[in-house]
Short mmCIF file of all heavy atoms in Angstrom, two decimals:
data_model
loop_
_atom_site.label_atom_id
_atom_site.label_comp_id
_atom_site.label_asym_id
_atom_site.label_seq_id
_atom_site.Cartn_x
_atom_site.Cartn_y
_atom_site.Cartn_z
N GLU M 4 115.63 89.69 77.44
CA GLU M 4 115.90 91.02 78.02
C GLU M 4 115.44 91.02 79.47
O GLU M 4 114.74 90.11 79.92
CB GLU M 4 115.08 92.09 77.24
CG GLU M 4 115.51 92.29 75.82
CD GLU M 4 114.76 93.41 75.16
OE1 GLU M 4 114.57 94.48 75.82
OE2 GLU M 4 114.38 93.28 73.97
N LEU M 5 115.80 92.09 80.18
CA LEU M 5 115.42 92.29 81.56
C LEU M 5 114.47 93.46 81.64
O LEU M 5 114.58 94.46 80.95
CB LEU M 5 116.63 92.57 82.42
CG LEU M 5 117.65 91.44 82.62
CD1 LEU M 5 118.85 91.96 83.40
CD2 LEU M 5 117.03 90.26 83.31
N ALA M 6 113.52 93.34 82.58
CA ALA M 6 112.65 94.44 83.00
C ALA M 6 112.67 94.41 84.52
O ALA M 6 112.59 93.36 85.14
CB ALA M 6 111.23 94.24 82.47
N THR M 7 112.75 95.59 85.13
CA THR M 7 112.81 95.65 86.63
C THR M 7 111.79 96.70 87.08
O THR M 7 111.86 97.85 86.67
CB THR M 7 114.23 96.02 87.10
OG1 THR M 7 115.17 95.07 86.52
CG2 THR M 7 114.29 95.96 88.62
N PHE M 8 110.88 96.24 87.95
CA PHE M 8 109.81 97.09 88.47
C PHE M 8 109.72 97.00 89.96
O PHE M 8 109.77 95.90 90.54
CB PHE M 8 108.46 96.66 87.90
CG PHE M 8 108.35 96.63 86.41
CD1 PHE M 8 108.08 95.47 85.75
CD2 PHE M 8 108.52 97.78 85.66
CE1 PHE M 8 107.98 95.43 84.35
CE2 PHE M 8 108.40 97.78 84.29
CZ PHE M 8 108.14 96.58 83.61
N ALA M 9 109.57 98.14 90.63
CA ALA M 9 109.30 98.19 92.05
C ALA M 9 107.85 98.68 92.23
O ALA M 9 107.47 99.70 91.63
CB ALA M 9 110.27 99.12 92.76
N PHE M 13 107.09 92.84 96.81
CA PHE M 13 107.42 92.12 95.60
C PHE M 13 106.58 90.87 95.43
O PHE M 13 106.40 90.43 94.28
CB PHE M 13 108.91 91.81 95.47
CG PHE M 13 109.63 91.35 96.69
CD1 PHE M 13 109.07 90.48 97.65
CD2 PHE M 13 110.94 91.78 96.92
CE1 PHE M 13 109.77 90.04 98.74
CE2 PHE M 13 111.62 91.38 98.04
CZ PHE M 13 111.06 90.48 98.95
N LEU M 16 103.87 91.24 92.80
CA LEU M 16 104.22 91.51 91.43
C LEU M 16 104.69 90.27 90.65
O LEU M 16 104.76 90.31 89.42
CB LEU M 16 105.34 92.57 91.34
CG LEU M 16 105.00 93.95 91.87
CD1 LEU M 16 106.20 94.90 91.67
CD2 LEU M 16 103.76 94.52 91.28
N VAL M 17 104.95 89.19 91.37
CA VAL M 17 105.48 88.02 90.70
C VAL M 17 104.39 87.27 89.89
O VAL M 17 104.57 87.04 88.69
CB VAL M 17 106.14 87.05 91.73
CG1 VAL M 17 106.57 85.75 91.03
CG2 VAL M 17 107.31 87.70 92.42
N PHE M 20 103.06 88.52 86.34
CA PHE M 20 104.02 88.43 85.25
C PHE M 20 104.41 86.96 84.95
O PHE M 20 104.61 86.61 83.82
CB PHE M 20 105.30 89.24 85.57
CG PHE M 20 105.07 90.70 85.53
CD1 PHE M 20 105.10 91.47 86.68
CD2 PHE M 20 104.86 91.38 84.31
CE1 PHE M 20 104.92 92.85 86.65
CE2 PHE M 20 104.66 92.74 84.26
CZ PHE M 20 104.68 93.49 85.43
N ILE M 26 107.63 84.95 79.36
CA ILE M 26 108.36 85.24 80.59
C ILE M 26 109.19 84.03 80.95
O ILE M 26 108.70 82.90 81.12
CB ILE M 26 107.40 85.59 81.76
CG1 ILE M 26 106.50 86.79 81.42
CG2 ILE M 26 108.16 85.78 83.05
CD1 ILE M 26 107.30 88.06 81.13
N GLU M 27 110.50 84.21 81.04
CA GLU M 27 111.41 83.14 81.39
C GLU M 27 111.51 82.94 82.89
O GLU M 27 111.53 81.82 83.38
CB GLU M 27 112.80 83.40 80.77
CG GLU M 27 112.82 83.39 79.29
CD GLU M 27 112.46 82.06 78.68
OE1 GLU M 27 113.03 81.01 79.15
OE2 GLU M 27 111.62 82.01 77.78
N LYS M 28 111.63 84.06 83.64
CA LYS M 28 111.63 83.98 85.08
C LYS M 28 111.35 85.34 85.70
O LYS M 28 111.53 86.37 85.06
CB LYS M 28 112.95 83.42 85.64
CG LYS M 28 114.14 84.31 85.44
CD LYS M 28 115.42 83.66 86.00
CE LYS M 28 116.64 84.50 85.71
NZ LYS M 28 117.86 83.94 86.26
N VAL M 29 110.86 85.30 86.94
CA VAL M 29 110.58 86.53 87.70
C VAL M 29 111.26 86.33 89.07
O VAL M 29 110.95 85.36 89.78
CB VAL M 29 109.07 86.75 87.88
CG1 VAL M 29 108.84 88.08 88.66
CG2 VAL M 29 108.35 86.77 86.56
N VAL M 30 112.15 87.23 89.41
CA VAL M 30 112.90 87.09 90.66
C VAL M 30 112.56 88.27 91.57
O VAL M 30 112.58 89.41 91.14
CB VAL M 30 114.43 87.10 90.37
CG1 VAL M 30 115.22 87.02 91.67
CG2 VAL M 30 114.81 85.92 89.43
N SER M 31 112.25 87.98 92.79
CA SER M 31 112.01 88.99 93.83
C SER M 31 113.38 89.43 94.38
O SER M 31 114.25 88.60 94.61
CB SER M 31 111.18 88.43 94.98
OG SER M 31 109.88 88.09 94.54
N GLY M 32 113.52 90.74 94.58
CA GLY M 32 114.80 91.21 95.13
C GLY M 32 114.79 92.66 95.51
O GLY M 32 113.74 93.26 95.67
N TYR M 33 116.01 93.21 95.59
CA TYR M 33 116.21 94.57 96.06
C TYR M 33 117.11 95.30 95.09
O TYR M 33 118.09 94.74 94.57
CB TYR M 33 116.87 94.56 97.47
CG TYR M 33 116.30 93.52 98.37
CD1 TYR M 33 116.99 92.36 98.74
CD2 TYR M 33 114.99 93.65 98.89
CE1 TYR M 33 116.46 91.39 99.55
CE2 TYR M 33 114.46 92.70 99.72
CZ TYR M 33 115.18 91.57 100.05
OH TYR M 33 114.62 90.64 100.85
N THR M 34 116.80 96.58 94.84
CA THR M 34 117.61 97.37 93.96
C THR M 34 117.45 98.84 94.20
O THR M 34 116.50 99.23 94.91
CB THR M 34 117.28 97.03 92.46
OG1 THR M 34 118.29 97.64 91.64
CG2 THR M 34 115.91 97.52 92.07
N GLU M 55 111.90 97.11 97.30
CA GLU M 55 111.55 95.74 96.90
C GLU M 55 111.16 95.83 95.46
O GLU M 55 110.40 96.73 95.03
CB GLU M 55 110.41 95.20 97.72
CG GLU M 55 110.77 94.87 99.13
CD GLU M 55 109.68 94.09 99.88
OE1 GLU M 55 108.79 93.52 99.22
OE2 GLU M 55 109.78 94.02 101.11
N ALA M 56 111.66 94.87 94.63
CA ALA M 56 111.40 94.92 93.20
C ALA M 56 111.35 93.51 92.65
O ALA M 56 111.73 92.57 93.32
CB ALA M 56 112.46 95.73 92.50
N VAL M 57 110.88 93.41 91.40
CA VAL M 57 110.98 92.16 90.67
C VAL M 57 111.82 92.41 89.44
O VAL M 57 111.74 93.47 88.83
CB VAL M 57 109.62 91.57 90.28
CG1 VAL M 57 108.85 91.08 91.51
CG2 VAL M 57 108.78 92.52 89.45
N GLN M 58 112.64 91.42 89.11
CA GLN M 58 113.41 91.47 87.87
C GLN M 58 112.91 90.36 86.99
O GLN M 58 112.90 89.18 87.37
CB GLN M 58 114.89 91.36 88.09
CG GLN M 58 115.68 91.65 86.81
CD GLN M 58 117.11 92.01 87.13
OE1 GLN M 58 117.92 91.11 87.32
NE2 GLN M 58 117.43 93.29 87.11
N ILE M 59 112.42 90.72 85.81
CA ILE M 59 111.80 89.83 84.90
C ILE M 59 112.70 89.55 83.71
O ILE M 59 113.17 90.52 83.08
CB ILE M 59 110.45 90.43 84.39
CG1 ILE M 59 109.53 90.77 85.58
CG2 ILE M 59 109.78 89.54 83.39
CD1 ILE M 59 108.44 91.73 85.26
N THR M 60 112.99 88.31 83.43
CA THR M 60 113.68 87.91 82.23
C THR M 60 112.60 87.52 81.20
O THR M 60 111.81 86.62 81.49
CB THR M 60 114.66 86.76 82.47
OG1 THR M 60 115.57 87.14 83.54
CG2 THR M 60 115.43 86.39 81.22
N PHE M 61 112.55 88.20 80.07
CA PHE M 61 111.50 87.93 79.12
C PHE M 61 112.07 87.79 77.72
O PHE M 61 113.14 88.31 77.37
CB PHE M 61 110.44 89.01 79.17
CG PHE M 61 110.89 90.40 78.71
CD1 PHE M 61 110.55 90.87 77.45
CD2 PHE M 61 111.59 91.24 79.56
CE1 PHE M 61 110.93 92.15 77.03
CE2 PHE M 61 112.01 92.48 79.16
CZ PHE M 61 111.66 92.95 77.88
N PHE M 100 112.71 100.74 86.67
CA PHE M 100 114.13 100.79 86.42
C PHE M 100 114.39 100.37 84.97
O PHE M 100 114.19 99.21 84.63
CB PHE M 100 114.91 99.83 87.36
CG PHE M 100 114.86 100.29 88.82
CD1 PHE M 100 113.90 99.77 89.70
CD2 PHE M 100 115.78 101.20 89.29
CE1 PHE M 100 113.89 100.15 91.00
CE2 PHE M 100 115.76 101.62 90.60
CZ PHE M 100 114.83 101.11 91.47
N HIS M 102 116.63 99.55 81.61
CA HIS M 102 117.93 98.93 81.34
C HIS M 102 118.65 99.48 80.11
O HIS M 102 119.80 99.14 79.86
CB HIS M 102 117.77 97.40 81.20
CG HIS M 102 117.43 96.74 82.49
ND1 HIS M 102 118.37 96.21 83.31
CD2 HIS M 102 116.24 96.59 83.14
CE1 HIS M 102 117.79 95.72 84.41
NE2 HIS M 102 116.49 95.95 84.31
N ALA M 134 118.59 101.35 85.72
CA ALA M 134 118.76 100.13 86.49
C ALA M 134 120.08 100.17 87.24
O ALA M 134 121.10 100.66 86.74
CB ALA M 134 118.69 98.90 85.58
N LYS M 135 120.05 99.64 88.45
CA LYS M 135 121.23 99.51 89.29
C LYS M 135 121.41 98.03 89.62
O LYS M 135 120.54 97.23 89.27
CB LYS M 135 121.05 100.32 90.55
CG LYS M 135 121.05 101.84 90.29
CD LYS M 135 120.96 102.60 91.58
CE LYS M 135 122.29 102.76 92.25
NZ LYS M 135 122.30 103.69 93.37
N PRO M 136 122.48 97.63 90.29
CA PRO M 136 122.61 96.22 90.62
C PRO M 136 121.36 95.69 91.34
O PRO M 136 120.76 96.37 92.17
CB PRO M 136 123.82 96.20 91.54
CG PRO M 136 124.64 97.37 91.08
CD PRO M 136 123.63 98.42 90.72
N PHE M 137 120.97 94.48 90.96
CA PHE M 137 119.80 93.82 91.49
C PHE M 137 120.25 92.66 92.36
O PHE M 137 121.08 91.86 91.92
CB PHE M 137 118.90 93.33 90.36
CG PHE M 137 117.65 92.68 90.83
CD1 PHE M 137 116.50 93.41 91.08
CD2 PHE M 137 117.60 91.30 91.04
CE1 PHE M 137 115.32 92.82 91.50
CE2 PHE M 137 116.43 90.68 91.47
CZ PHE M 137 115.29 91.45 91.68
N TYR M 138 119.75 92.59 93.58
CA TYR M 138 120.12 91.54 94.52
C TYR M 138 118.90 90.66 94.81
O TYR M 138 117.92 91.15 95.38
CB TYR M 138 120.67 92.13 95.81
CG TYR M 138 121.84 93.04 95.60
CD1 TYR M 138 121.66 94.43 95.53
CD2 TYR M 138 123.10 92.55 95.41
CE1 TYR M 138 122.73 95.27 95.30
CE2 TYR M 138 124.19 93.39 95.17
CZ TYR M 138 123.98 94.73 95.12
OH TYR M 138 125.08 95.57 94.90
N PRO M 139 118.95 89.37 94.42
CA PRO M 139 117.80 88.49 94.71
C PRO M 139 117.53 88.45 96.22
O PRO M 139 118.44 88.43 97.03
CB PRO M 139 118.26 87.14 94.18
CG PRO M 139 119.28 87.44 93.12
CD PRO M 139 119.99 88.68 93.65
N GLN M 145 111.03 83.95 97.19
CA GLN M 145 110.87 83.63 95.79
C GLN M 145 109.63 82.77 95.55
O GLN M 145 109.37 81.83 96.30
CB GLN M 145 112.14 82.86 95.27
CG GLN M 145 113.44 83.62 95.50
CD GLN M 145 113.50 84.99 94.84
OE1 GLN M 145 112.82 85.24 93.80
NE2 GLN M 145 114.23 85.88 95.45
#
Side-chain angles (χ1 to χ4, degrees):
E4 293 185 40
L5 293 175
T7 305
F8 303 119
F13 44 38
L16 297 183
V17 175
F20 289 111
I26 301 300
E27 295 296 312
K28 68 180 175 179
V29 183
V30 177
S31 296
Y33 317 109
T34 191
E55 288 192 16
V57 291
Q58 189 160 82
I59 302 163
T60 304
F61 66 102
F100 291 96
H102 290 266
K135 292 183 81 171
F137 181 88
Y138 302 98
Q145 305 302 331

